[in-house]
Amino acid sequence: MQLQFLGTGAGTPSRERNVTSIVLDLQGVRNATWLFDCGEGTQHQILRTPIKPGKIEKIFITHLHGDHIFGLPGLLTSRSMNGSGDPLTLYGPAGIKTFVETAISLSGSWLTFPLEIVEITAGEVCNDEQFRVTAYPLTHPVECYGYRIDEHDKPGALNAEKLAADNVPAGPYFYDLKHGRSVTLDDGRVINGWDYVGDKIPGRSLAIFGDTAPTERATELAAGVDVMVHEATLEVAMEEKANSRGHSTTAQAAKVAQESGAKRLIITHLSSRYLRADCERLLKECQAIFPHTEMAHDFAVFNL
């Protein structure tokens, strides 16, 4: 799987950073992508990547501030104009349904694909054969959530030596054995798959925060994740200003990663006051607390 950042700025676009949007490419798991937030200009950013809008399966919105949702109507209608018929599910706080339906209606637009809009609250958002997504409330002037994505554990490998020792011939029932099911062999024996399967392979985990000031729920959201994505809107010296507006500093993001036991931190959502020349200094503020910190830039790709 990969994370690709389409926009890494806060509030307004700048020459160096567009506003927030992140793509989770599920390559290696299934042929689909998920989008987290959709700020203005997101579809223009997509045009500069290999991402195909028709392959976007789900969109998760953290909150309804414009720099996180103003790109939605354009992306959805362009997806239709390109002829996509694949269904798409949109998740977001209360009001997201009214926003999207009003924009489409008043602009005389239409959709060629089934769109399901789910207005979320804290708790499980969706759960399928491969992933579970949970929303956690954050601290921001408007209702805002962070999303935790947990990949389900995968079955361990079949023990070929034990199968051979027990004279279990190869066959299509190996699929059932690998998933722990009981099967009946041609000679009448009934065997239990769990007797031949190794330890489960732990799934990967990811926490994507929306905008937030420090909050008690942060460490629960990011507990033990492989990758944590957190805003770092302002530098350490501007903590009071950041927190008063529902945002975090570099050091506060790093502290969450440290306290939650995250393995890796990627910071994003930087104020437009910062230029590329400032980035090394901001990154070092994080790394002084949590060394495994990286900074996202527009179009940066991170492997999970």
Side-chain angles (χ1 to χ4, degrees), residues 33-47:
T33 55
W34 291 357
L35 186 68
F36 291 82
D37 285 333
C38 189
E40 179 184 356
T42 292
Q43 65 172 320
H44 292 274
Q45 300 288 86
I46 286 175
L47 291 173

Side-chain angles (χ1 to χ4, degrees), residues 162-215:
K162 190 172 191 306
L163 287 166
D166 290 350
N167 295 315
V168 179
Y173 44 76
F174 270 21
Y175 177 85
D176 290 321
L177 291 176
K178 185 174 175 63
H179 288 80
R181 301 175 189 134
S182 294
V183 301
T184 302
L185 303 179
D186 292 341
D187 61 10
R189 285 183 293 158
V190 177
I191 59 174
N192 186 339
W194 292 125
D195 294 335
Y196 298 92
V197 176
D199 293 337
K200 290 184 177 181
I201 302 169
R204 290 159 288 188
S205 55
L206 168 68
I208 297 179
F209 282 72
D211 294 2
T212 188
T215 174

Side-chain angles (χ1 to χ4, degrees), residues 14-271:
S14 69
R15 292 182 179 181
E16 296 182 352
R17 296 178 184 272
N18 196 47
V19 287
T20 300
S21 186
I22 305 170
V23 171
L24 175 61
D25 189 335
L26 302 179
Q27 58 178 270
V29 181
R30 63 182 187 236
N31 186 24
T33 55
W34 291 357
L35 186 68
F36 291 82
D37 285 333
C38 189
E40 179 184 356
T42 292
Q43 65 172 320
H44 292 274
Q45 300 288 86
I46 286 175
L47 291 173
R48 298 172 62 185
T49 74
I51 297 162
K52 294 180 172 58
K55 293 297 182 182
I56 298 175
E57 178 184 77
K58 298 178 185 293
I59 299 176
F60 299 87
I61 299 298
T62 60
H63 64 294
L64 302 188
H65 276 158
D67 58 319
H68 294 255
I69 66 168
F70 282 170
L72 261 178
L75 176 62
L76 294 176
T77 54
S78 291
R79 192 176 189 265
S80 288
M81 295 177 74
N82 289 331
S84 177
D86 293 335
L88 187 152
T89 306
L90 171 63
Y91 303 90
I96 190 65
K97 184 178 178 69
T98 298
F99 172 76
V100 169
E101 291 181 345
T102 300
I104 291 174
S105 174
L106 291 181
S107 64
S109 303
W110 68 91
L111 300 181
T112 59
F113 56 88
L115 174 64
E116 180 184 7
I117 302 177
V118 180
E119 295 194 331
I120 67 167
T121 55
E124 184 176 283
V125 172
C126 58
N127 195 347
D128 60 27
E129 291 184 356
Q130 293 153 327
F131 298 98
R132 179 176 186 257
V133 180
T134 310
Y136 289 79
L138 301 176
T139 301
H140 202 54
V142 299
E143 184 179 4
C144 185
Y145 295 94
Y147 292 100
R148 181 184 176 108
I149 303 94
D150 289 296
E151 182 182 23
H152 296 311
D153 293 343
K154 299 173 185 177
L158 283 173
N159 188 329
E161 291 183 3
K162 190 172 191 306
L163 287 166
D166 290 350
N167 295 315
V168 179
Y173 44 76
F174 270 21
Y175 177 85
D176 290 321
L177 291 176
K178 185 174 175 63
H179 288 80
R181 301 175 189 134
S182 294
V183 301
T184 302
L185 303 179
D186 292 341
D187 61 10
R189 285 183 293 158
V190 177
I191 59 174
N192 186 339
W194 292 125
D195 294 335
Y196 298 92
V197 176
D199 293 337
K200 290 184 177 181
I201 302 169
R204 290 159 288 188
S205 55
L206 168 68
I208 297 179
F209 282 72
D211 294 2
T212 188
T215 174
E216 293 180 359
R217 301 300 299 274
T219 53
E220 183 182 356
L221 165 55
V225 294
D226 295 304
V227 178
M228 170 183 149
V229 179
H230 198 289
E231 66 132 291
T233 304
L234 293 170
E235 61 193 285
V236 172
M238 302 186 73
E239 179 178 308
E240 183 177 352
K241 182 174 182 177
N243 295 170
S244 69
R245 298 184 179 183
H247 292 293
S248 297
T249 66
T250 49
Q252 288 171 331
K255 187 176 179 181
V256 172
Q258 180 187 63
E259 293 179 349
S260 64
K263 297 180 180 65
R264 185 178 176 194
L265 168 64
I266 302 172
I267 56 170
T268 185
H269 200 269
L270 275 68
S271 169

